[in-house]
Each structure stands twice: as structure tokens, then as C-alpha cells.
Amino acid sequence: MVNHNENQLNEIFQALADPTRREIVHMMAQKERTVSELAEPFDMSLAAISKHIKVLERANLVKRRVTGRTHLCSLNAESLSQATEWLRFYEKFWSNRFDLLESELLKAKKNEH
């Protein structure tokens, strides 16, 4: 059985797989934005941007707040930290592997001389 955290992680990575959504996340990391502000740099309709935002909302990466007719979007850094935590494990794994490789290369270099 797949647990809730794994489902959430799948949603996060699926949402971040798209370059448009990654750019939207980057924009919101700087400050809260309206949907119109998020759409501005892209050559697509507001409806298309809204679909991207909804994918980010399903992944819990975006919080949307409605004030009158204005939709304000902000980054939910807590959800992003789940992905960071998962990646950090593999960063340690690869760092250890590279350390071992470096050690072996140094041994080989010593044996050459």
C-alpha cells in the first residue's frame, strides 16, 4: 500500500516536471503573485496558466487566496521541503560514492608512481 507521503511526493515531482510550473514556483518564491502576474512572462492564456496553477495546488505547492476578484498565489515552502528532504538522502548517497571514487583514484595515482 502506498502511503500518503509517497503520494504527496509523487504529486510534487509530477508538478515540478514541467518547466512552466517550475518557473511559476520560482516567481512565487520571490513574492506572492496574482494569476495575471504569473501569466505575464508566458505566451499562453490565463486559462492555461490557471491549469498549471491547479496542478501546483493539487501538489500542495501553491496556496491561493482570493481577495475580491483577485487571486493571489503564494508558495507553500513546507511541501517543497518534502521534495528537498527526499533529494537530500540521494545527495548524501552520491557524495559518499564520489568520496569512495576519489579515494580509489588517489590510491591508483600513488601506485603509478
Side-chain angles (χ1 to χ4, degrees):
M1 184 172 156
V2 177
N3 66 34
H4 175 71
N5 288 340
E6 190 172 325
N7 284 336
Q8 181 66 27
L9 198 56
N10 290 341
E11 291 282 338
I12 291 167
F13 283 118
Q14 181 181 15
L16 295 174
D18 183 86
T20 299
R21 292 192 287 268
R22 287 194 305 272
E23 182 59 27
I24 289 170
V25 166
H26 178 74
M27 292 169 67
M28 287 184 301
Q30 296 167 12
K31 68 176 189 171
E32 184 176 64
R33 309 273 181 157
T34 66
V35 173
S36 297
E37 288 174 324
L38 292 171
E40 193 175 301
F42 303 103
D43 187 24
M44 59 180 76
S45 67
L46 281 175
I49 287 295
S50 284
K51 286 180 181 180
H52 282 293
I53 293 169
K54 285 179 183 172
V55 170
L56 292 167
E57 284 178 306
R58 276 195 303 274
N60 203 26
L61 291 168
V62 171
K63 294 179 185 175
R64 189 188 303 232
R65 181 170 58 89
V66 181
T67 305
R69 295 178 63 181
T70 305
H71 290 238
L72 294 159
C73 300
S74 60
L75 182 63
N76 181 6
E78 186 177 310
S79 285
L80 200 53
S81 72
Q82 289 178 353
T84 303
E85 219 174 279
W86 187 86
L87 290 168
R88 208 171 276 132
F89 171 83
Y90 290 98
E91 177 184 28
K92 289 177 188 175
F93 170 80
W94 283 109
S95 291
N96 290 339
R97 302 299 260 175
F98 286 131
D99 289 346
L100 287 171
L101 176 61
E102 181 181 30
S103 175
E104 290 300 316
L105 290 172
L106 289 172
K107 284 180 193 175
K109 190 174 183 178
K110 281 184 180 179
N111 290 337
E112 284 179 1
H113 298 287

